[in-house]
Amino acid sequence: MTLLADLAVPSRPLPRDAGGRLLLASLRTLRWYGIEDAGLAQRFIMLFGRDFRRVLFVTRMLAEKLAEQPGVKFGTCRRTRMTESEATLIAIATRLPNNVPAARLLLADLLGTRQIDGMLASLYAVSEAFAALDKPIGG
């Protein structure tokens, strides 16, 4: 993507919380480098210690599901702002598990379909896994 095209993409600031930033960085890394990226696995080991496996597994599962969606756009790993798709994903993960109906509506709008149960379950699992290891998404 050229600089001019990069500036034309609507963007939002990065998440302020550690969990949101980590999820965004992880999804970008998995999108651009593949789900077998060793650098991401090492980062999860350093941050989460022995309990990294569950978080890494569900994040990879979410990345695989997102790869099947052509309408979800990701920025490059070095981009200092979020795309609208990324901002919506972070907003959805922030609403889970407390406000599932709102998360369901946001996800349906993002994907453009009503068949969102698999993706919603993946996002829910990621949100729960991050929260269980003291890195809740959204604070």
Side-chain angles (χ1 to χ4, degrees):
M1 184 179 278
T2 66
L3 178 61
L4 214 48
D6 198 33
L7 292 174
V9 175
S11 61
R12 299 215 182 145
L14 294 174
R16 293 184 180 177
D17 61 294
R21 282 183 182 262
L22 180 59
L23 177 62
L24 178 64
S26 302
L27 290 175
R28 283 180 174 179
T29 301
L30 291 169
R31 170 67 177 99
W32 292 107
Y33 299 111
I35 64 167
E36 298 298 325
D37 184 56
L40 180 66
Q42 180 65 29
R43 186 181 318 152
F44 273 48
I45 291 169
M46 298 300 290
L47 287 171
F48 296 117
R50 293 180 2 182
D51 300 325
F52 79 98
R53 287 181 185 90
R54 177 178 175 225
V55 180
L56 182 60
F57 176 77
V58 295
T59 305
R60 283 178 172 169
M61 180 178 64
L62 176 61
E64 284 182 15
K65 291 203 174 291
L66 288 170
E68 299 168 0
Q69 302 298 325
V72 180
K73 305 293 184 208
F74 282 95
T76 60
C77 292
R78 296 182 189 267
R79 186 177 162 93
T80 58
R81 296 184 61 84
M82 290 189 291
T83 65
E84 290 296 321
S85 298
E86 291 169 338
T88 303
L89 282 171
I90 298 296
I92 293 166
T94 300
R95 284 168 174 75
L96 292 172
N98 300 328
N99 196 350
V100 176
R104 179 179 289 280
L105 288 174
L106 282 172
L107 189 57
D109 285 345
L110 176 66
L111 301 180
T113 182
R114 292 183 183 174
Q115 300 170 347
I116 59 165
D117 292 333
M119 183 73 72
L120 187 64
S122 296
L123 272 165
Y124 190 91
V126 168
S127 181
E128 285 289 315
F130 273 72
L133 295 176
D134 295 328
K135 296 267 191 229
I137 300 166

